[in-house]
Coordinates of all heavy atoms in Angstrom, one line a residue:
T1325 N 2.2 2.3 6.0 CA 2.5 2.3 7.6 C 1.1 2.7 8.3 O 0.3 3.3 7.6 CB 3.6 3.2 8.1 OG1 3.1 4.5 8.0 CG2 4.9 2.9 7.4
N1326 N 1.0 2.3 9.5 CA -0.2 2.7 10.3 C 0.3 3.6 11.4 O 0.6 3.1 12.6 CB -0.9 1.4 10.8 CG -2.3 1.8 11.5 OD1 -2.6 2.9 11.7 ND2 -2.8 0.7 12.0
P1327 N 0.5 4.8 11.2 CA 1.3 5.7 12.1 C 0.6 6.0 13.3 O -0.6 6.0 13.5 CB 1.6 6.9 11.2 CG 0.4 7.1 10.4 CD 0.0 5.7 10.0
R1328 N 1.4 6.6 14.5 CA 0.8 7.0 15.6 C 0.0 8.3 15.4 O -1.0 8.6 16.0 CB 1.9 7.3 16.6 CG 2.6 6.2 17.1 CD 3.7 6.5 18.2 NE 4.6 7.4 17.7 CZ 4.8 8.6 18.2 NH1 4.2 9.1 19.1 NH2 5.8 9.6 17.6
F1329 N 0.6 9.2 14.5 CA -0.2 10.4 14.2 C -0.3 10.6 12.6 O 0.5 9.9 11.9 CB 0.7 11.7 14.8 CG 0.8 11.6 16.3 CD1 2.0 11.2 16.8 CD2 -0.2 11.7 17.1 CE1 2.3 11.2 18.1 CE2 -0.2 11.7 18.5 CZ 1.1 11.4 18.9
P1330 N -1.2 11.4 12.1 CA -1.3 11.6 10.7 C 0.0 12.1 10.1 O 0.8 12.8 10.5 CB -2.3 12.8 10.6 CG -3.1 12.6 11.7 CD -2.1 12.2 12.9
N1331 N 0.4 11.4 9.0 CA 1.7 11.6 8.3 C 1.5 11.8 6.8 O 0.7 11.1 6.2 CB 2.5 10.5 8.5 CG 3.9 10.5 7.8 OD1 4.6 11.4 8.0 ND2 4.0 9.6 6.7
V1332 N 2.1 12.8 6.2 CA 2.1 13.1 4.8 C 3.5 13.0 4.3 O 4.3 13.8 4.7 CB 1.4 14.3 4.4 CG1 1.4 14.5 2.8 CG2 -0.1 14.4 4.9
S1333 N 3.8 12.1 3.3 CA 5.1 12.0 2.7 C 4.9 12.5 1.3 O 4.1 12.2 0.6 CB 5.6 10.6 2.6 OG 5.7 10.0 4.0
S1334 N 6.0 13.5 0.9 CA 5.8 14.1 -0.5 C 7.0 13.5 -1.3 O 8.2 13.4 -0.8 CB 5.9 15.6 -0.4 OG 4.9 16.0 0.3
F1335 N 6.8 13.1 -2.6 CA 7.9 12.7 -3.4 C 7.7 13.6 -4.7 O 7.0 13.5 -5.5 CB 7.5 11.3 -3.8 CG 7.3 10.3 -2.7 CD1 6.0 10.2 -2.2 CD2 8.3 9.6 -2.2 CE1 5.8 9.3 -1.2 CE2 8.1 8.8 -1.0 CZ 6.8 8.6 -0.5
L1336 N 8.8 14.5 -4.6 CA 8.8 15.6 -5.7 C 9.2 15.0 -7.0 O 10.0 14.1 -7.2 CB 9.9 16.6 -5.3 CG 9.7 17.4 -4.0 CD1 10.9 18.4 -3.9 CD2 8.4 18.2 -4.1
D1337 N 8.5 15.4 -8.1 CA 8.7 14.9 -9.5 C 8.2 15.9 -10.5 O 7.7 16.9 -10.2 CB 7.9 13.6 -9.6 CG 8.4 12.6 -10.6 OD1 9.5 12.9 -11.2 OD2 7.9 11.5 -10.8
E1338 N 8.5 15.5 -11.7 CA 8.1 16.3 -12.9 C 7.6 15.3 -13.9 O 8.3 14.4 -14.3 CB 9.3 17.1 -13.4 CG 8.7 18.0 -14.7 CD 9.9 18.9 -15.1 OE1 11.0 19.0 -14.6 OE2 9.5 19.8 -16.0
N1339 N 6.4 15.5 -14.3 CA 5.7 14.6 -15.3 C 6.0 13.2 -15.0 O 6.7 12.3 -15.7 CB 6.4 14.8 -16.8 CG 5.9 16.1 -17.2 OD1 4.7 16.5 -17.1 ND2 6.6 16.9 -17.9
P1340 N 5.4 12.6 -13.9 CA 5.7 11.4 -13.4 C 5.0 10.3 -14.5 O 3.9 10.6 -15.2 CB 4.9 11.1 -12.2 CG 3.8 12.2 -12.2 CD 4.6 13.4 -13.0
K1341 N 5.6 9.1 -14.6 CA 5.1 8.1 -15.6 C 3.9 7.3 -14.9 O 3.1 6.8 -15.7 CB 6.2 7.2 -16.0 CG 7.3 7.9 -16.8 CD 8.3 6.8 -17.2 CE 9.3 7.4 -18.3 NZ 10.1 8.5 -17.7
G1342 N 3.8 7.3 -13.5 CA 2.7 6.7 -13.0 C 2.9 6.6 -11.5 O 4.0 6.6 -11.1
F1343 N 1.8 6.3 -10.9 CA 1.9 5.9 -9.4 C 0.6 5.3 -9.0 O -0.4 5.2 -9.7 CB 2.0 7.2 -8.5 CG 0.8 8.2 -8.6 CD1 -0.2 8.1 -7.6 CD2 0.7 9.1 -9.5 CE1 -1.4 8.9 -7.7 CE2 -0.3 10.1 -9.6 CZ -1.4 9.9 -8.6
G1344 N 0.6 4.5 -7.9 CA -0.6 3.8 -7.5 C -0.4 3.1 -6.1 O 0.7 2.9 -5.7
L1345 N -1.6 2.8 -5.6 CA -1.6 1.9 -4.4 C -1.9 0.5 -4.9 O -2.8 0.1 -5.4 CB -2.7 2.5 -3.5 CG -2.5 3.8 -2.8 CD1 -3.9 4.2 -2.1 CD2 -1.4 3.9 -1.9
M1346 N -0.9 -0.3 -4.4 CA -0.9 -1.7 -4.9 C -1.1 -2.6 -3.8 O -0.9 -2.4 -2.7 CB 0.5 -2.0 -5.5 CG 1.1 -0.8 -6.3 SD -0.1 -0.4 -7.7 CE 0.2 -1.8 -8.9
Q1347 N -1.7 -3.8 -4.1 CA -1.8 -4.9 -3.4 C -1.0 -6.0 -3.9 O -1.4 -6.8 -4.8 CB -3.2 -5.4 -3.2 CG -3.6 -6.6 -2.3 CD -3.6 -6.2 -0.9 OE1 -2.7 -5.4 -0.4 NE2 -4.6 -6.7 -0.1
R1348 N 0.2 -6.2 -3.4 CA 1.2 -7.1 -3.9 C 1.2 -8.5 -3.4 O 1.4 -9.5 -4.0 CB 2.6 -6.6 -3.7 CG 3.0 -5.5 -4.8 CD 4.5 -5.2 -4.7 NE 4.8 -4.3 -5.9 CZ 6.1 -3.6 -5.9 NH1 6.9 -3.8 -5.1 NH2 6.3 -2.9 -7.0
D1349 N 0.8 -8.6 -2.0 CA 0.7 -9.8 -1.4 C -0.6 -10.6 -1.8 O -1.7 -10.2 -1.5 CB 0.7 -9.7 0.1 CG 0.9 -11.0 0.8 OD1 0.6 -12.0 0.3 OD2 1.4 -11.0 2.0
R1350 N -0.5 -11.6 -2.6 CA -1.6 -12.4 -3.2 C -1.7 -13.8 -2.6 O -2.5 -14.6 -3.2 CB -1.5 -12.5 -4.7 CG -1.4 -11.2 -5.4 CD -2.8 -10.5 -5.3 NE -2.8 -9.2 -5.9 CZ -3.9 -8.4 -5.9 NH1 -5.0 -8.8 -5.4 NH2 -3.8 -7.2 -6.4
N1351 N -1.2 -14.0 -1.5 CA -1.2 -15.4 -0.8 C -2.3 -15.3 0.2 O -2.3 -14.7 1.2 CB 0.1 -15.6 -0.1 CG 0.3 -17.0 0.4 OD1 -0.7 -17.8 0.6 ND2 1.4 -17.4 0.5
F1352 N -3.3 -16.1 -0.1 CA -4.4 -16.3 0.8 C -4.0 -16.7 2.3 O -4.6 -16.2 3.2 CB -5.4 -17.4 0.3 CG -6.6 -17.6 1.2 CD1 -7.7 -16.7 1.3 CD2 -6.6 -18.7 2.1 CE1 -8.8 -16.9 2.2 CE2 -7.6 -18.9 2.9 CZ -8.7 -18.1 3.0
E1353 N -3.1 -17.6 2.4 CA -2.6 -17.9 3.7 C -2.1 -16.8 4.5 O -1.9 -16.9 5.8 CB -1.4 -18.9 3.5 CG -1.9 -20.2 2.9 CD -2.9 -20.9 3.6 OE1 -2.9 -20.9 4.9 OE2 -3.8 -21.7 3.1
H1354 N -1.8 -15.6 3.9 CA -1.3 -14.5 4.6 C -2.5 -13.7 5.2 O -2.3 -12.6 5.9 CB -0.4 -13.6 3.8 CG 0.9 -14.2 3.4 ND1 1.8 -13.6 2.5 CD2 1.3 -15.4 3.8 CE1 2.8 -14.5 2.4 NE2 2.6 -15.5 3.2
Y1355 N -3.8 -14.0 4.9 CA -5.0 -13.3 5.3 C -5.9 -14.2 6.1 O -6.6 -13.8 7.0 CB -5.6 -12.7 4.1 CG -4.8 -11.7 3.3 CD1 -4.1 -12.2 2.2 CD2 -4.6 -10.3 3.8 CE1 -3.3 -11.3 1.5 CE2 -3.8 -9.4 3.0 CZ -3.1 -10.0 1.8 OH -2.4 -9.1 1.1
L1356 N -6.2 -15.4 5.5 CA -7.0 -16.5 6.1 C -8.5 -15.9 6.3 O -9.2 -16.2 7.3 CB -6.5 -16.9 7.4 CG -5.2 -17.6 7.3 CD1 -4.7 -17.9 8.7 CD2 -5.2 -18.9 6.5
D1357 N -8.9 -15.0 5.4 CA -10.2 -14.4 5.6 C -11.2 -14.5 4.4 O -10.6 -14.4 3.2 CB -10.0 -12.9 5.8 CG -11.2 -12.1 6.4 OD1 -12.4 -12.5 5.9 OD2 -11.1 -11.2 7.2
G1358 N -12.4 -15.0 4.6 CA -13.3 -15.1 3.4 C -13.7 -13.8 2.6 O -14.5 -14.0 1.7
V1359 N -13.3 -12.7 3.1 CA -13.5 -11.4 2.3 C -12.4 -11.2 1.3 O -12.5 -10.3 0.5 CB -13.6 -10.2 3.2 CG1 -14.7 -10.3 4.2 CG2 -12.3 -10.0 3.9
Y1360 N -11.4 -12.2 1.1 CA -10.5 -12.2 0.2 C -9.7 -10.9 0.0 O -9.7 -10.4 -1.1 CB -11.1 -12.7 -1.2 CG -11.8 -14.0 -1.0 CD1 -13.1 -14.2 -1.1 CD2 -11.0 -15.2 -0.9 CE1 -13.8 -15.4 -1.0 CE2 -11.6 -16.5 -0.7 CZ -13.0 -16.5 -0.8 OH -13.5 -17.8 -0.7

């Protein structure tokens, strides 16, 4: 999200198997920008 004010969300866990910031939308038509 692009929030009105700074926001921190916490997801409690123990020995996580993984996490990451993903770019799932791979359709060029959804961006139409030459910076790809």
Side-chain angles (χ1 to χ4, degrees):
T1325 68
N1326 186 355
R1328 292 182 303 121
F1329 302 108
N1331 174 64
V1332 177
S1333 299
S1334 296
F1335 307 89
L1336 299 177
D1337 204 358
E1338 181 175 2
N1339 288 320
K1341 292 181 172 67
F1343 66 93
L1345 290 174
M1346 317 304 289
Q1347 181 77 317
R1348 281 189 175 173
D1349 192 338
R1350 298 292 175 184
N1351 188 335
F1352 174 80
E1353 298 296 326
H1354 293 176
Y1355 304 95
L1356 299 175
D1357 196 324
V1359 299
Y1360 298 111

